[in-house]
Amino acid sequence: MIKDKKQISLGFSVGHDKGAVIVIDNQVQVGIMEERLSRVKRDKPFNTDIPLLSINYCLDALNLTYDDVDVYCYNTAEMDDFVEEQFTQYLAQPLSKLQFVPHHVAHAYSTFFASGFDEAAVIVADAMGNVHDTNSKAHSYFKEKYGDLPKLPNGLRWGESITLFKFNKSSYEEVLKKWIKYPEPYTFANEELSVGCMYAQGTMQLTFDEKTSNWQAGKLMGLASYADKEWLDSQEYIATIEESKTGNIVDFFIPGTQVYPEITYKADFRSKSNVAGIYQREQVRLTTMLAKYVKQLTGLNKVCCSGGSFLNCNANEAIIKSGLFEECYFTPPADDSGIPLGAAFYGIHHLTGFKPIEDNPFMSPYFGKSYTKNDIIKDIQTYIKNEDSEFFDFNHIIHFNTREERDKYITQLLLEDKPIGLLQGGSEIGPRALGNRSIIANPSSVWMKDYINHEIKKREWYRPFAPSVLFEEQGNVFDLDIFSPYMLVTAYCKDNWKEKIPSVVHIDGTSRYQSVTSEMNESYYNLINSFYKASNIPLVLNTSFNGPGEPIVETPLDAVKSYVKNGLPVLVLENIVIEKKNYRIY
């Protein structure tokens, strides 16, 4: 039990990318996304059920009860909100312990209090936050700060699209909020869009999957790099940005019309990639403009960013290279998977009467609980009993006593060009795998990207993979030498390295790298270092450990299922290596 600690705050979210996080005092203790436990991708978007699997996972990991938690803070962007009813019925807790946190406030808390900064400007940009409506839980907060906005016709409501903040450890100020009209039912056909809605509109237009009804921003980002640069330079901008004579931002407007609406996901590759290039260019332009705007309004030299717009690595790179700020921080769960984190941090502030949260360190992204050797063996037994009684006929299982022995063996498998499913330590928060729930591979094989895309991930050929690189070596390989442990920034690969690591260099010469240090992830660092000593390459290819339509694996049982289903040649579960017999890639 750890109830003798000062304050316990549990944050959760309702809607898409729901989950839960526990913060004790100023330290993140545990967190998880609901989809990792339910095994349902995005876990029923727009469903109003509270994330019981995530809440129970977090409490169980710390041996806490519902009563031990001092405050439960949450956000939902949905209008039909049954959270209070579920809270009292399922958790048997009084409503006095339940606190609503506005959407953009939760995003802002998730990035500022993870950064370790004492003071910073904060940008929140996503598709849409809460609406200013009497039926919304955020209504009283908005009314106090902004009063009543003009009434809208035809069921339209005002929704928050962009918020700029000034933050320190004890307080925050909203220095600007951009409202747009929110249609009902939700569509992208509106007179003005947010930055996130603009990119989502392009994503839906160009990457829609008829089989699954899914569209993914990552597809658009990868597609955009294939745009014809000369053609792209001839195209007009989407948004208008109004500046004063002194160069200060005054306002901006993103029209709700599609770009080249006749070019859809059914069009030829060249047409799609060209139009994707317009949307991507505009994303970079607008987020860089927001950086300039918040600098203008706050005068601060550090910036923190959150909201789904900041999963766009090229845009993040542009903000860094703008030179506007001495330091930039991008939180790993920038999308709505970060709402529970921000809500939990807000809960600590709420409990202390907004006294300064001191000693908030730069955040490690590994929020999940670890699994013991006993847990792993039990999960293997469960799989064999329930799924595949002939498992041992096709797989070797090797137990290593030390990490050093394991890493030496894994290094040899990587040199043999065998992709490896890797589960170790606690899982990462957010949508990016960072070495604890990853598929890793040799980046020097020119065919490896196509092989993993086609045979294992079963996704589009043009989508790139990222390198996990030893921090002290990254400056030798890439043009940008900043600490980027969350895989949220792109950099250009230096010419002398492009042919050495072709499977992690995109068509435009960039890589979305992850800086790896021994302090943040000793096990992953030592594994990459072992490969470095054997190959003279200080990085490995890294992608999330999941197959098509699957969330990233959480448990050893999830990992075994994905290993078998998706045809991986090797699975590593802590110090246990499972290897397919007679596996041939070519």
Side-chain angles (χ1 to χ4, degrees), residues 40-93:
V40 177
K41 190 68 175 173
R42 304 207 77 188
D43 195 70
K44 307 168 191 172
F46 311 112
N47 179 285
T48 57
D49 291 341
I50 65 175
L52 290 174
L53 294 176
S54 300
I55 291 170
N56 292 335
Y57 171 100
C58 291
L59 293 171
D60 291 345
L62 300 178
N63 194 27
L64 293 172
T65 69
Y66 299 128
D67 293 340
D68 290 331
V69 176
D70 296 301
V71 67
Y72 293 81
C73 290
Y74 81 100
N75 174 264
T76 177
E78 317 305 331
M79 295 302 295
D80 296 324
D81 176 4
F82 303 102
V83 172
E84 292 182 356
E85 181 180 345
Q86 295 177 69
F87 182 75
T88 56
Q89 290 182 348
Y90 290 135
L91 276 60
Q93 296 296 296

Side-chain angles (χ1 to χ4, degrees), residues 220 269 538 555 583:
L220 188 69
F269 183 79
T555 68
Y583 188 90

Side-chain angles (χ1 to χ4, degrees), residues 120-268:
V122 175
I123 308 171
V124 175
D126 56 6
M128 184 74 73
N130 285 121
V131 296
H132 194 342
D133 183 278
T134 55
N135 294 322
S136 168
K137 284 288 193 300
H139 177 68
S140 60
Y141 175 85
F142 291 151
K143 186 175 176 63
E144 179 182 347
K145 287 186 174 294
Y146 300 99
D148 290 318
L149 300 179
K151 290 186 178 180
L152 297 173
N154 305 322
L156 293 173
R157 293 166 291 171
W158 294 107
E160 53 179 353
S161 68
I162 292 159
T163 311
L164 307 181
F165 296 84
K166 185 176 183 179
F167 252 83
N168 60 45
K169 290 185 173 183
S170 60
S171 65
Y172 68 89
E173 175 189 355
E174 295 189 11
V175 296
L176 181 135
K177 189 181 290 290
K178 178 78 168 177
W179 300 96
I180 62 172
K181 297 171 186 177
Y182 179 91
E184 185 65 46
Y186 187 78
T187 71
F188 296 116
N190 204 4
E191 62 183 55
E192 182 178 6
L193 300 178
S194 64
V195 176
C197 270
M198 177 208 67
Y199 204 78
Q201 177 172 270
T203 302
M204 178 179 283
Q205 177 184 341
L206 300 171
T207 74
F208 185 77
D209 187 329
E210 289 183 317
K211 294 180 181 178
T212 62
S213 296
N214 288 334
W215 38 280
Q216 298 178 24
K219 292 183 183 182
L220 188 69
M221 224 184 319
L223 190 62
S225 299
Y226 288 87
D228 181 276
K229 299 299 186 293
E230 186 174 335
W231 179 88
L232 187 58
D233 289 342
S234 71
Q235 301 301 301
E236 294 182 356
Y237 293 125
I238 297 174
T240 57
I241 300 174
E242 184 182 350
E243 294 185 88
S244 68
K245 291 181 180 180
T246 59
N248 285 339
I249 307 295
V250 177
D251 201 2
F252 58 96
F253 180 83
I254 308 170
T257 54
Q258 286 185 328
V259 180
Y260 290 100
E262 70 277 9
I263 305 299
T264 70
Y265 60 94
K266 296 180 180 180
D268 63 276

Side-chain angles (χ1 to χ4, degrees), residues 292-308:
K292 181 179 179 181
Y293 207 171
V294 81
K295 174 74 173 183
Q296 167 191 319
L297 293 172
T298 67
L300 297 175
N301 292 320
K302 296 180 182 180
V303 68
C304 301
C305 303
S306 188

Side-chain angles (χ1 to χ4, degrees), residues 406-407 409-423 435 437-442 448 451-452 456 524 527 531 540-546 563 567-573 576-579 583 585:
R406 184 204 73 164
D407 291 350
Y409 190 80
I410 293 173
T411 294
Q412 184 56 44
L413 296 176
L414 290 171
L415 293 172
E416 293 172 7
D417 288 327
K418 293 181 178 179
I420 295 169
L422 177 62
L423 181 152
R437 298 295 185 278
S438 292
I439 294 172
I440 61 172
N442 186 347
M448 186 63 73
Y451 177 78
I452 296 177
I456 296 173
Y524 196 35
L527 174 55
F531 179 75
V540 295
L541 180 155
N542 174 18
T543 186
S544 56
F545 191 171
N546 61 318
Y563 157 75
L568 276 163
V570 181
L571 172 63
V572 175
L573 304 171
I576 297 175
V577 175
I578 302 175
E579 187 177 0
Y583 188 90
I585 292 178

Side-chain angles (χ1 to χ4, degrees), residues 375-429:
D375 294 330
I376 294 168
I377 291 172
K378 284 182 178 180
D379 275 6
I380 294 172
Q381 292 171 349
T382 297
Y383 179 79
I384 293 171
K385 180 179 179 181
N386 297 334
E387 306 276 349
D388 185 1
S389 61
E390 298 179 340
F391 184 79
F392 289 121
D393 294 338
F394 301 97
N395 298 276
H396 291 294
I397 299 182
I398 308 168
H399 296 258
F400 290 95
N401 292 321
T402 67
R403 277 287 201 265
E404 185 177 3
E405 293 173 335
R406 184 204 73 164
D407 291 350
K408 184 177 180 181
Y409 190 80
I410 293 173
T411 294
Q412 184 56 44
L413 296 176
L414 290 171
L415 293 172
E416 293 172 7
D417 288 327
K418 293 181 178 179
I420 295 169
L422 177 62
L423 181 152
Q424 58 183 3
S427 57
E428 308 89 336
I429 194 70

